[in-house]
Amino acid sequence: MCGIAGYVGGKNAPVVLFDMLKRLEYRGYDSAGIAYVGEDGINIPKGKGKVDEVRASLNPESLMGQIGVGHTRWATHGVPSTVNAHPHTDCTGVFAVAHNGIIENFLELKDELEERGHSFKSETDTEVIAHLIEEYYDGDFLEAFAKALGKLKGSYAITALSTHHRDMILVARNESPLLIGLGEGENFIASDAPAFLGETKEAVILDDLEYGVVTAGNTAFYSLKSGRKLRKKHETLSWSFREAERGGYHHFMLKEVHEEPDAAVNALKGEKELRAVCDKISSCRRVYFVACGTAYHAGLYGKYLMERLGLAAEASIASEFRYSTAGSLNSECAVIAISQSGETADTIAAVKAAKARGAYTACIVNVVGSSLTRLCDDSAYTYSGPEIAVASTKAYIGQLVSVALLSLESAKKKMKLDEKDFLDYFDELKNIRERIQDILDSNEIRALAESEANTRTFFYLGRRENYPTALEGALKLKEISYVHAEGYAAGELKHGPLALMDETVTVLAIMPDDELKRKVESNISEIKARGAKVITVGVNKDIRIPKTYPIFAPILAIVPLHLFAYYISVLKGLDPDKPRNLAKSVTVE
Ligand code: AGP
């Protein structure tokens, strides 16, 4: 997810564009840039870093122009760098393009264009759009733009400039949002309303496979399918700026939980990268998942999954691993680091300790180009998009799906899983998106949280692959509502913690439809006999999750527990996005 912006009107475009990018920074923040039409043609000041850092280095107040496009990046193709920052141009620098989305056939298009003599500067998919416009341009900018769009497969929101047509910005949308803010003698273009809400609430919202022309005083939009001119409705946007920044949700965390269905399917985009890691670990004697916090819970899930599929695997907390297990590693071992940020100091240190012992290292991360991706032998991405809230939610879903896919690929490669079973599991992984959406649509988690808002002690119980779910559910509650909660292996309760059970305690018991369900039921009876309250999570339980393969139940069961923690935090008047004492990325040991 990236943020794109455009402006045409009487103000100084470079300044307006950086103001707009700042309000879109939550959509991506590893590099930023603008393209504006000055006296000497198109200028493209851009750089690596957050919007404020790039702005300080470029001083837009000193630049002059009244039309331009801008971009703040969340890298998907090509590491964060100045050369990969948007906007991008064609060979001649006559056309400039900023893009949000993924052009799935960009390599094929790039090969064709290179064969026709085009030379590329960046590693991005976006750059092919500028060269396609150049290829088709014969005097009509809009026609060349439409032809270029016709070649693209994938998702895009695009703004395009040309020195031959200095009064217009071309726009197009397919699966990535794009709005046009309608001003007086000026118009704004953006991925999201926060970029221009302070200037105007009147907007046109493009739909998929629509494109158009925006000038200071006019707009015109067309259907890419039919070429026909469209009569687009002018909408009045009702959100406040802050609400718009969070897509209408009160907090980023709630927005990101509601992005968990997409996170599940986006993780499957990493299939090729995960298969490459699978090829490397197939000859290893043992696989170690290493991570911290929520990411560690994903690693623990990976351990259970690999073992359930007949493979040897371990999961370790990074800050422990580096001082203990790392000493026993050798070249027959594989260490797989899991990290949303790719910058967690303990995890980085654990990988360094593994490398020092000759182990193979890989990472499963969300941030392209992060430190772990530069340190490990191989990288795979969860493609979860920017996660702003300190509490990790959608990135955890991405990690679980990635780890599940890696485990299934490994089991298939080691002949522990036949092709048919692999495909059955893979098909269900593709359905997880709908299952999560079903959970979000069908549970009254807020009401449940209201009934528990004053409870002082929570236990989360799970068995086998749902033991990590119990740990994650408890962590989420602790870190954003400051209430004591413990994740526990259900079978362990009678070995001590049962002494804590009384009417002041609430227990959330994760019990999917599997052969251990009866065991959890007997744990629940022991708990209820001591007066504690029990909330069950499972098929047709207090918190309902749809039926799926038992090995995928943790991907579903955690969704309502994320929401439960969110609502308890909000009911206590806390800010779930910025919990006390915590940071989004712990870059200190
Ligand atoms: C998760 O909600 C926490 N914010 C924290 O435990 C986090 O998962 C941990 O610090 C690891 O971060 P990483 O995934 O960026 O490595």
PDB file of all heavy atoms in Angstrom, residues 175-205:
ATOM      1  N   GLU A 175      -8.614  -1.540  -8.491  1.00  0.00           N
ATOM      2  CA  GLU A 175      -8.406  -2.249  -7.222  1.00  0.00           C
ATOM      3  C   GLU A 175      -7.601  -1.480  -6.182  1.00  0.00           C
ATOM      4  O   GLU A 175      -7.438  -1.921  -5.059  1.00  0.00           O
ATOM      5  CB  GLU A 175      -7.774  -3.648  -7.427  1.00  0.00           C
ATOM      6  CG  GLU A 175      -8.652  -4.584  -8.233  1.00  0.00           C
ATOM      7  CD  GLU A 175      -7.964  -5.915  -8.510  1.00  0.00           C
ATOM      8  OE1 GLU A 175      -6.880  -6.153  -7.942  1.00  0.00           O
ATOM      9  OE2 GLU A 175      -8.501  -6.708  -9.280  1.00  0.00           O
ATOM     10  N   SER A 176      -7.015  -0.353  -6.551  1.00  0.00           N
ATOM     11  CA  SER A 176      -6.367   0.502  -5.532  1.00  0.00           C
ATOM     12  C   SER A 176      -7.093   1.839  -5.529  1.00  0.00           C
ATOM     13  O   SER A 176      -7.337   2.414  -6.594  1.00  0.00           O
ATOM     14  CB  SER A 176      -4.887   0.714  -5.896  1.00  0.00           C
ATOM     15  OG  SER A 176      -4.176  -0.478  -5.724  1.00  0.00           O
ATOM     16  N   PRO A 177      -7.403   2.377  -4.355  1.00  0.00           N
ATOM     17  CA  PRO A 177      -8.287   3.545  -4.287  1.00  0.00           C
ATOM     18  C   PRO A 177      -7.690   4.804  -4.910  1.00  0.00           C
ATOM     19  O   PRO A 177      -6.468   5.017  -4.851  1.00  0.00           O
ATOM     20  CB  PRO A 177      -8.489   3.747  -2.783  1.00  0.00           C
ATOM     21  CG  PRO A 177      -7.305   3.105  -2.145  1.00  0.00           C
ATOM     22  CD  PRO A 177      -6.922   1.967  -3.038  1.00  0.00           C
ATOM     23  N   LEU A 178      -8.564   5.654  -5.502  1.00  0.00           N
ATOM     24  CA  LEU A 178      -8.131   6.958  -6.024  1.00  0.00           C
ATOM     25  C   LEU A 178      -9.333   7.905  -6.019  1.00  0.00           C
ATOM     26  O   LEU A 178     -10.412   7.560  -6.507  1.00  0.00           O
ATOM     27  CB  LEU A 178      -7.578   6.824  -7.447  1.00  0.00           C
ATOM     28  CG  LEU A 178      -6.732   8.001  -7.918  1.00  0.00           C
ATOM     29  CD1 LEU A 178      -5.477   8.146  -7.045  1.00  0.00           C
ATOM     30  CD2 LEU A 178      -6.302   7.847  -9.368  1.00  0.00           C
ATOM     31  N   LEU A 179      -9.106   9.074  -5.376  1.00  0.00           N
ATOM     32  CA  LEU A 179     -10.178  10.071  -5.283  1.00  0.00           C
ATOM     33  C   LEU A 179      -9.697  11.385  -5.892  1.00  0.00           C
ATOM     34  O   LEU A 179      -8.490  11.665  -5.889  1.00  0.00           O
ATOM     35  CB  LEU A 179     -10.540  10.351  -3.818  1.00  0.00           C
ATOM     36  CG  LEU A 179     -11.116   9.234  -2.967  1.00  0.00           C
ATOM     37  CD1 LEU A 179      -9.987   8.381  -2.402  1.00  0.00           C
ATOM     38  CD2 LEU A 179     -11.927   9.798  -1.811  1.00  0.00           C
ATOM     39  N   ILE A 180     -10.623  12.169  -6.419  1.00  0.00           N
ATOM     40  CA  ILE A 180     -10.284  13.510  -6.916  1.00  0.00           C
ATOM     41  C   ILE A 180     -11.027  14.510  -6.045  1.00  0.00           C
ATOM     42  O   ILE A 180     -12.275  14.496  -5.977  1.00  0.00           O
ATOM     43  CB  ILE A 180     -10.676  13.660  -8.405  1.00  0.00           C
ATOM     44  CG1 ILE A 180      -9.764  12.798  -9.270  1.00  0.00           C
ATOM     45  CG2 ILE A 180     -10.521  15.126  -8.841  1.00  0.00           C
ATOM     46  CD1 ILE A 180     -10.156  11.368  -9.372  1.00  0.00           C
ATOM     47  N   GLY A 181     -10.276  15.356  -5.332  1.00  0.00           N
ATOM     48  CA  GLY A 181     -10.872  16.399  -4.491  1.00  0.00           C
ATOM     49  C   GLY A 181     -11.138  17.623  -5.346  1.00  0.00           C
ATOM     50  O   GLY A 181     -10.224  18.139  -6.000  1.00  0.00           O
ATOM     51  N   LEU A 182     -12.387  18.094  -5.378  1.00  0.00           N
ATOM     52  CA  LEU A 182     -12.793  19.178  -6.296  1.00  0.00           C
ATOM     53  C   LEU A 182     -12.754  20.511  -5.570  1.00  0.00           C
ATOM     54  O   LEU A 182     -13.510  20.746  -4.631  1.00  0.00           O
ATOM     55  CB  LEU A 182     -14.211  18.880  -6.816  1.00  0.00           C
ATOM     56  CG  LEU A 182     -14.379  17.493  -7.451  1.00  0.00           C
ATOM     57  CD1 LEU A 182     -15.852  17.204  -7.720  1.00  0.00           C
ATOM     58  CD2 LEU A 182     -13.546  17.376  -8.728  1.00  0.00           C
ATOM     59  N   GLY A 183     -11.786  21.376  -6.000  1.00  0.00           N
ATOM     60  CA  GLY A 183     -11.660  22.694  -5.379  1.00  0.00           C
ATOM     61  C   GLY A 183     -12.156  23.787  -6.310  1.00  0.00           C
ATOM     62  O   GLY A 183     -12.701  23.518  -7.378  1.00  0.00           O
ATOM     63  N   GLU A 184     -11.939  25.036  -5.870  1.00  0.00           N
ATOM     64  CA  GLU A 184     -12.303  26.207  -6.705  1.00  0.00           C
ATOM     65  C   GLU A 184     -11.067  26.613  -7.520  1.00  0.00           C
ATOM     66  O   GLU A 184     -10.078  27.078  -6.953  1.00  0.00           O
ATOM     67  CB  GLU A 184     -12.711  27.371  -5.784  1.00  0.00           C
ATOM     68  CG  GLU A 184     -13.988  27.131  -4.988  1.00  0.00           C
ATOM     69  CD  GLU A 184     -15.198  27.068  -5.920  1.00  0.00           C
ATOM     70  OE1 GLU A 184     -15.219  27.818  -6.927  1.00  0.00           O
ATOM     71  OE2 GLU A 184     -16.085  26.214  -5.658  1.00  0.00           O
ATOM     72  N   GLY A 185     -11.067  26.295  -8.807  1.00  0.00           N
ATOM     73  CA  GLY A 185      -9.906  26.658  -9.640  1.00  0.00           C
ATOM     74  C   GLY A 185      -8.693  25.802  -9.342  1.00  0.00           C
ATOM     75  O   GLY A 185      -7.571  26.117  -9.709  1.00  0.00           O
ATOM     76  N   GLU A 186      -8.935  24.686  -8.656  1.00  0.00           N
ATOM     77  CA  GLU A 186      -7.832  23.769  -8.342  1.00  0.00           C
ATOM     78  C   GLU A 186      -8.428  22.394  -8.059  1.00  0.00           C
ATOM     79  O   GLU A 186      -9.580  22.302  -7.611  1.00  0.00           O
ATOM     80  CB  GLU A 186      -7.039  24.237  -7.121  1.00  0.00           C
ATOM     81  CG  GLU A 186      -7.856  24.322  -5.853  1.00  0.00           C
ATOM     82  CD  GLU A 186      -7.045  24.873  -4.684  1.00  0.00           C
ATOM     83  OE1 GLU A 186      -5.880  25.268  -4.863  1.00  0.00           O
ATOM     84  OE2 GLU A 186      -7.600  24.880  -3.568  1.00  0.00           O
ATOM     85  N   ASN A 187      -7.672  21.373  -8.345  1.00  0.00           N
ATOM     86  CA  ASN A 187      -8.156  20.014  -8.051  1.00  0.00           C
ATOM     87  C   ASN A 187      -7.038  19.198  -7.415  1.00  0.00           C
ATOM     88  O   ASN A 187      -5.851  19.419  -7.708  1.00  0.00           O
ATOM     89  CB  ASN A 187      -8.656  19.344  -9.327  1.00  0.00           C
ATOM     90  CG  ASN A 187     -10.042  19.868  -9.730  1.00  0.00           C
ATOM     91  OD1 ASN A 187     -10.927  20.080  -8.875  1.00  0.00           O
ATOM     92  ND2 ASN A 187     -10.220  20.129 -11.010  1.00  0.00           N
ATOM     93  N   PHE A 188      -7.444  18.245  -6.582  1.00  0.00           N
ATOM     94  CA  PHE A 188      -6.519  17.405  -5.816  1.00  0.00           C
ATOM     95  C   PHE A 188      -6.770  15.949  -6.187  1.00  0.00           C
ATOM     96  O   PHE A 188      -7.928  15.575  -6.441  1.00  0.00           O
ATOM     97  CB  PHE A 188      -6.756  17.574  -4.309  1.00  0.00           C
ATOM     98  CG  PHE A 188      -6.688  19.002  -3.832  1.00  0.00           C
ATOM     99  CD1 PHE A 188      -7.792  19.836  -3.953  1.00  0.00           C
ATOM    100  CD2 PHE A 188      -5.522  19.495  -3.283  1.00  0.00           C
ATOM    101  CE1 PHE A 188      -7.737  21.166  -3.521  1.00  0.00           C
ATOM    102  CE2 PHE A 188      -5.452  20.821  -2.845  1.00  0.00           C
ATOM    103  CZ  PHE A 188      -6.568  21.660  -2.974  1.00  0.00           C
ATOM    104  N   ILE A 189      -5.723  15.148  -6.192  1.00  0.00           N
ATOM    105  CA  ILE A 189      -5.872  13.713  -6.479  1.00  0.00           C
ATOM    106  C   ILE A 189      -5.182  12.969  -5.343  1.00  0.00           C
ATOM    107  O   ILE A 189      -4.078  13.366  -4.919  1.00  0.00           O
ATOM    108  CB  ILE A 189      -5.196  13.356  -7.821  1.00  0.00           C
ATOM    109  CG1 ILE A 189      -5.812  14.187  -8.949  1.00  0.00           C
ATOM    110  CG2 ILE A 189      -5.307  11.858  -8.114  1.00  0.00           C
ATOM    111  CD1 ILE A 189      -4.890  14.350 -10.140  1.00  0.00           C
ATOM    112  N   ALA A 190      -5.790  11.896  -4.834  1.00  0.00           N
ATOM    113  CA  ALA A 190      -5.144  11.195  -3.712  1.00  0.00           C
ATOM    114  C   ALA A 190      -5.674   9.776  -3.559  1.00  0.00           C
ATOM    115  O   ALA A 190      -6.785   9.464  -3.990  1.00  0.00           O
ATOM    116  CB  ALA A 190      -5.369  11.959  -2.417  1.00  0.00           C
ATOM    117  N   SER A 191      -4.841   8.952  -2.922  1.00  0.00           N
ATOM    118  CA  SER A 191      -5.251   7.568  -2.610  1.00  0.00           C
ATOM    119  C   SER A 191      -6.361   7.569  -1.577  1.00  0.00           C
ATOM    120  O   SER A 191      -7.136   6.628  -1.510  1.00  0.00           O
ATOM    121  CB  SER A 191      -4.068   6.784  -2.001  1.00  0.00           C
ATOM    122  OG  SER A 191      -2.958   6.853  -2.817  1.00  0.00           O
ATOM    123  N   ASP A 192      -6.387   8.621  -0.759  1.00  0.00           N
ATOM    124  CA  ASP A 192      -7.321   8.611   0.359  1.00  0.00           C
ATOM    125  C   ASP A 192      -7.677  10.055   0.723  1.00  0.00           C
ATOM    126  O   ASP A 192      -6.869  10.970   0.527  1.00  0.00           O
ATOM    127  CB  ASP A 192      -6.622   7.936   1.553  1.00  0.00           C
ATOM    128  CG  ASP A 192      -7.594   7.104   2.362  1.00  0.00           C
ATOM    129  OD1 ASP A 192      -8.811   7.313   2.182  1.00  0.00           O
ATOM    130  OD2 ASP A 192      -7.147   6.284   3.166  1.00  0.00           O
ATOM    131  N   ALA A 193      -8.849  10.224   1.275  1.00  0.00           N
ATOM    132  CA  ALA A 193      -9.401  11.564   1.517  1.00  0.00           C
ATOM    133  C   ALA A 193      -8.569  12.441   2.449  1.00  0.00           C
ATOM    134  O   ALA A 193      -8.516  13.666   2.245  1.00  0.00           O
ATOM    135  CB  ALA A 193     -10.815  11.420   2.070  1.00  0.00           C
ATOM    136  N   PRO A 194      -7.860  11.859   3.471  1.00  0.00           N
ATOM    137  CA  PRO A 194      -7.134  12.756   4.381  1.00  0.00           C
ATOM    138  C   PRO A 194      -6.225  13.759   3.664  1.00  0.00           C
ATOM    139  O   PRO A 194      -5.974  14.853   4.141  1.00  0.00           O
ATOM    140  CB  PRO A 194      -6.297  11.806   5.248  1.00  0.00           C
ATOM    141  CG  PRO A 194      -6.991  10.502   5.176  1.00  0.00           C
ATOM    142  CD  PRO A 194      -7.616  10.452   3.828  1.00  0.00           C
ATOM    143  N   ALA A 195      -5.749  13.394   2.476  1.00  0.00           N
ATOM    144  CA  ALA A 195      -4.777  14.248   1.761  1.00  0.00           C
ATOM    145  C   ALA A 195      -5.353  15.600   1.411  1.00  0.00           C
ATOM    146  O   ALA A 195      -4.628  16.580   1.312  1.00  0.00           O
ATOM    147  CB  ALA A 195      -4.305  13.532   0.501  1.00  0.00           C
ATOM    148  N   PHE A 196      -6.674  15.682   1.185  1.00  0.00           N
ATOM    149  CA  PHE A 196      -7.223  16.982   0.750  1.00  0.00           C
ATOM    150  C   PHE A 196      -8.454  17.420   1.542  1.00  0.00           C
ATOM    151  O   PHE A 196      -9.065  18.434   1.238  1.00  0.00           O
ATOM    152  CB  PHE A 196      -7.552  16.948  -0.747  1.00  0.00           C
ATOM    153  CG  PHE A 196      -8.537  15.860  -1.137  1.00  0.00           C
ATOM    154  CD1 PHE A 196      -9.888  15.941  -0.814  1.00  0.00           C
ATOM    155  CD2 PHE A 196      -8.099  14.746  -1.834  1.00  0.00           C
ATOM    156  CE1 PHE A 196     -10.781  14.945  -1.163  1.00  0.00           C
ATOM    157  CE2 PHE A 196      -8.988  13.730  -2.204  1.00  0.00           C
ATOM    158  CZ  PHE A 196     -10.338  13.838  -1.855  1.00  0.00           C
ATOM    159  N   LEU A 197      -8.809  16.658   2.589  1.00  0.00           N
ATOM    160  CA  LEU A 197     -10.045  16.988   3.336  1.00  0.00           C
ATOM    161  C   LEU A 197     -10.001  18.394   3.911  1.00  0.00           C
ATOM    162  O   LEU A 197     -11.018  19.037   4.087  1.00  0.00           O
ATOM    163  CB  LEU A 197     -10.248  15.982   4.474  1.00  0.00           C
ATOM    164  CG  LEU A 197     -11.234  14.854   4.228  1.00  0.00           C
ATOM    165  CD1 LEU A 197     -11.429  14.055   5.490  1.00  0.00           C
ATOM    166  CD2 LEU A 197     -12.564  15.346   3.691  1.00  0.00           C
ATOM    167  N   GLY A 198      -8.801  18.865   4.210  1.00  0.00           N
ATOM    168  CA  GLY A 198      -8.683  20.226   4.751  1.00  0.00           C
ATOM    169  C   GLY A 198      -8.978  21.292   3.705  1.00  0.00           C
ATOM    170  O   GLY A 198      -9.204  22.447   4.022  1.00  0.00           O
ATOM    171  N   GLU A 199      -8.973  20.913   2.432  1.00  0.00           N
ATOM    172  CA  GLU A 199      -9.180  21.880   1.329  1.00  0.00           C
ATOM    173  C   GLU A 199     -10.589  21.776   0.767  1.00  0.00           C
ATOM    174  O   GLU A 199     -11.191  22.740   0.383  1.00  0.00           O
ATOM    175  CB  GLU A 199      -8.180  21.581   0.197  1.00  0.00           C
ATOM    176  CG  GLU A 199      -6.748  21.362   0.630  1.00  0.00           C
ATOM    177  CD  GLU A 199      -6.133  22.632   1.204  1.00  0.00           C
ATOM    178  OE1 GLU A 199      -6.557  23.726   0.779  1.00  0.00           O
ATOM    179  OE2 GLU A 199      -5.261  22.507   2.088  1.00  0.00           O
ATOM    180  N   THR A 200     -11.106  20.542   0.652  1.00  0.00           N
ATOM    181  CA  THR A 200     -12.433  20.357   0.079  1.00  0.00           C
ATOM    182  C   THR A 200     -13.013  19.025   0.531  1.00  0.00           C
ATOM    183  O   THR A 200     -12.265  18.071   0.768  1.00  0.00           O
ATOM    184  CB  THR A 200     -12.390  20.369  -1.470  1.00  0.00           C
ATOM    185  OG1 THR A 200     -13.724  20.115  -1.974  1.00  0.00           O
ATOM    186  CG2 THR A 200     -11.452  19.299  -2.024  1.00  0.00           C
ATOM    187  N   LYS A 201     -14.335  18.967   0.680  1.00  0.00           N
ATOM    188  CA  LYS A 201     -15.009  17.709   1.000  1.00  0.00           C
ATOM    189  C   LYS A 201     -15.775  17.182  -0.214  1.00  0.00           C
ATOM    190  O   LYS A 201     -16.424  16.156  -0.161  1.00  0.00           O
ATOM    191  CB  LYS A 201     -15.966  17.897   2.192  1.00  0.00           C
ATOM    192  CG  LYS A 201     -15.269  18.034   3.538  1.00  0.00           C
ATOM    193  CD  LYS A 201     -16.276  18.126   4.668  1.00  0.00           C
ATOM    194  CE  LYS A 201     -15.584  18.251   6.015  1.00  0.00           C
ATOM    195  NZ  LYS A 201     -15.152  16.935   6.553  1.00  0.00           N
ATOM    196  N   GLU A 202     -15.683  17.944  -1.322  1.00  0.00           N
ATOM    197  CA  GLU A 202     -16.350  17.489  -2.549  1.00  0.00           C
ATOM    198  C   GLU A 202     -15.378  16.599  -3.317  1.00  0.00           C
ATOM    199  O   GLU A 202     -14.217  16.990  -3.538  1.00  0.00           O
ATOM    200  CB  GLU A 202     -16.732  18.694  -3.425  1.00  0.00           C
ATOM    201  CG  GLU A 202     -17.776  19.582  -2.787  1.00  0.00           C
ATOM    202  CD  GLU A 202     -19.054  18.806  -2.452  1.00  0.00           C
ATOM    203  OE1 GLU A 202     -19.619  18.168  -3.369  1.00  0.00           O
ATOM    204  OE2 GLU A 202     -19.427  18.780  -1.252  1.00  0.00           O
ATOM    205  N   ALA A 203     -15.837  15.431  -3.707  1.00  0.00           N
ATOM    206  CA  ALA A 203     -14.883  14.525  -4.370  1.00  0.00           C
ATOM    207  C   ALA A 203     -15.577  13.643  -5.395  1.00  0.00           C
ATOM    208  O   ALA A 203     -16.789  13.414  -5.340  1.00  0.00           O
ATOM    209  CB  ALA A 203     -14.212  13.640  -3.328  1.00  0.00           C
ATOM    210  N   VAL A 204     -14.772  13.173  -6.330  1.00  0.00           N
ATOM    211  CA  VAL A 204     -15.186  12.102  -7.243  1.00  0.00           C
ATOM    212  C   VAL A 204     -14.374  10.877  -6.836  1.00  0.00           C
ATOM    213  O   VAL A 204     -13.162  10.985  -6.628  1.00  0.00           O
ATOM    214  CB  VAL A 204     -14.869  12.470  -8.718  1.00  0.00           C
ATOM    215  CG1 VAL A 204     -14.986  11.238  -9.614  1.00  0.00           C
ATOM    216  CG2 VAL A 204     -15.816  13.572  -9.189  1.00  0.00           C
ATOM    217  N   ILE A 205     -15.054   9.753  -6.675  1.00  0.00           N
ATOM    218  CA  ILE A 205     -14.355   8.518  -6.298  1.00  0.00           C
ATOM    219  C   ILE A 205     -14.321   7.600  -7.523  1.00  0.00           C
ATOM    220  O   ILE A 205     -15.375   7.177  -8.010  1.00  0.00           O
ATOM    221  CB  ILE A 205     -15.061   7.818  -5.117  1.00  0.00           C
ATOM    222  CG1 ILE A 205     -15.102   8.771  -3.909  1.00  0.00           C
ATOM    223  CG2 ILE A 205     -14.357   6.506  -4.772  1.00  0.00           C
ATOM    224  CD1 ILE A 205     -15.888   8.251  -2.722  1.00  0.00           C
TER     225      ILE A 205
END
